[in-house]
Amino acid sequence: MRKKLIAANWKMYKTPEQAREFVAAFLPQVWEHTRDEMVLCPPFVTLPAVASALDGSRVQLGGQDMFWEKEGAFTGAISAHMLRAAGCSHVIIGHSERRQYFGETDDTVNRKLRAALHGGLIPIVCVGEVIAEREAGLTEDVLRRQCSIAFREISSGQAIPIVVAYEPVWAIGTGKTATPELAGEAHRVIRAEAAEAFGEGVAGKIRILYGGSVKPDNVKSLMAHPDIDGALVGGASLDPKSFAAIVKY
Ligand code: PGA
């Protein structure tokens, strides 16, 4: 049985002050919630405020990106080691916005994924097709390529903590959610790719989240699908009431 994970991707939203207000309103609503793992991924500068506000709660903390080196002359970059020191247990890697606006490639995703595992972080690796790829019938090929390159040079023993987020790019921030069946099909492709890389046993343990316009009113049907192990939530995670409603679907 895979425990579901519900993660908030705040993207480039919320100052430390705004994040403290969020946590003050959010925590009382989920204090008793033990069914799922919960993770907040705020912007880097907001991590310390959220870390101290979450102290003593079950809600975990994640970064939205990282670089693969431990330290050095890499202006603007943050390492796994630094995220850990700031209180993070998780890190999002290869989000489609990083791929689209910041030159992230399948190869850099692989390097970051290996560095995250090496640094003791739980990586949430994002994959997903753009609309033109779906319409051309290429979804399966795209997912297989993104996963097989992401999983390179990772042993089965190292792979267990990996979380994959299937995020069809056409569903992100658009209000167009994938149906549970469509997401389920993609999740089966991703798990098959994980089985090829790490074996059936490990692939069965890897959690595969769905992301893309998850809202309080569609989360229940998505989470009811046996192949969907949680959600990565953008827009609807910015409001404490709406994110609490998603967590407690
Ligand atoms: P969305 O974003 O929920 O606003 O569609 C999801 C994501 O980008 O992770």
Side-chain angles (χ1 to χ4, degrees):
M1 194 51 192
R2 297 180 293 263
K3 187 163 184 165
K4 285 193 174 22
L5 188 159
I6 315 283
N9 173 13
W10 283 356
K11 311 192 177 186
M12 199 171 74
Y13 290 99
K14 293 197 194 290
T15 61
E17 189 49 41
Q18 291 168 331
R20 273 190 286 269
E21 282 168 22
F22 175 99
V23 176
F26 176 67
L27 271 190
Q29 300 183 63
V30 299
W31 199 258
E32 307 285 318
H33 190 79
T34 53
R35 183 192 54 193
D36 314 287
E37 277 176 42
M38 302 170 274
V39 184
L40 299 182
C41 302
F44 292 139
V45 295
T46 303
L47 285 169
V50 178
S52 72
L54 290 178
D55 198 26
S57 80
R58 285 191 193 91
V59 183
Q60 302 176 84
L61 191 63
Q64 296 178 12
D65 181 36
M66 55 166 276
F67 191 54
W68 53 78
E69 295 289 347
K70 188 165 184 241
E71 59 183 14
F74 304 106
T75 302
I78 299 281
S79 68
H81 169 73
M82 289 169 179
L83 288 177
R84 291 268 298 176
C88 291
S89 48
H90 292 67
V91 62
I92 298 171
I93 289 175
H95 189 279
S96 65
E97 286 148 17
R98 301 295 315 173
R99 295 178 191 254
Q100 186 180 352
Y101 303 119
F102 301 96
E104 196 85 74
T105 65
D106 293 333
D107 185 56
T108 61
V109 168
N110 170 252
R111 295 183 78 164
K112 290 181 178 188
L113 178 54
R114 286 188 281 133
L117 291 167
H118 192 69
L121 288 166
I122 298 170
I124 303 174
V125 195
C126 302
V127 296
E129 78 287 1
V130 300
I131 191 66
E133 291 164 336
R134 174 157 288 273
E135 285 173 353
L138 294 173
T139 300
E140 184 165 338
D141 293 353
V142 169
L143 295 176
R144 285 194 179 280
R145 187 201 75 228
Q146 290 175 334
C147 290
S148 68
I149 298 178
F151 297 158
R152 269 182 196 160
E153 291 176 55
I154 296 170
S155 70
S156 307
Q158 293 171 315
I160 296 171
I162 295 176
V163 177
V164 180
Y166 169 58
E167 298 209 304
V169 179
W170 47 269
I172 296 177
T174 58
K176 286 188 203 135
T177 320
T179 60
E181 294 68 36
L182 187 146
E185 265 169 44
H187 286 215
R188 281 193 293 278
V189 171
I190 294 166
R191 204 172 299 284
E193 205 55 48
E196 211 155 288
F198 310 125
E200 296 280 349
V202 171
K205 294 197 176 92
I206 286 178
R207 283 169 302 172
I208 306 177
L209 317 183
Y210 168 77
S213 297
V214 174
K215 307 280 181 227
D217 61 2
N218 60 27
V219 64
K220 205 178 170 76
S221 60
L222 287 159
M223 294 307 118
H225 195 289
D227 292 312
I228 302 181
D229 307 317
L232 181 57
V233 188
S237 74
L238 293 169
D239 173 70
K241 216 170 140 208
S242 132
F243 191 53
I246 289 175
V247 165
K248 297 198 286 185
Y249 61 87

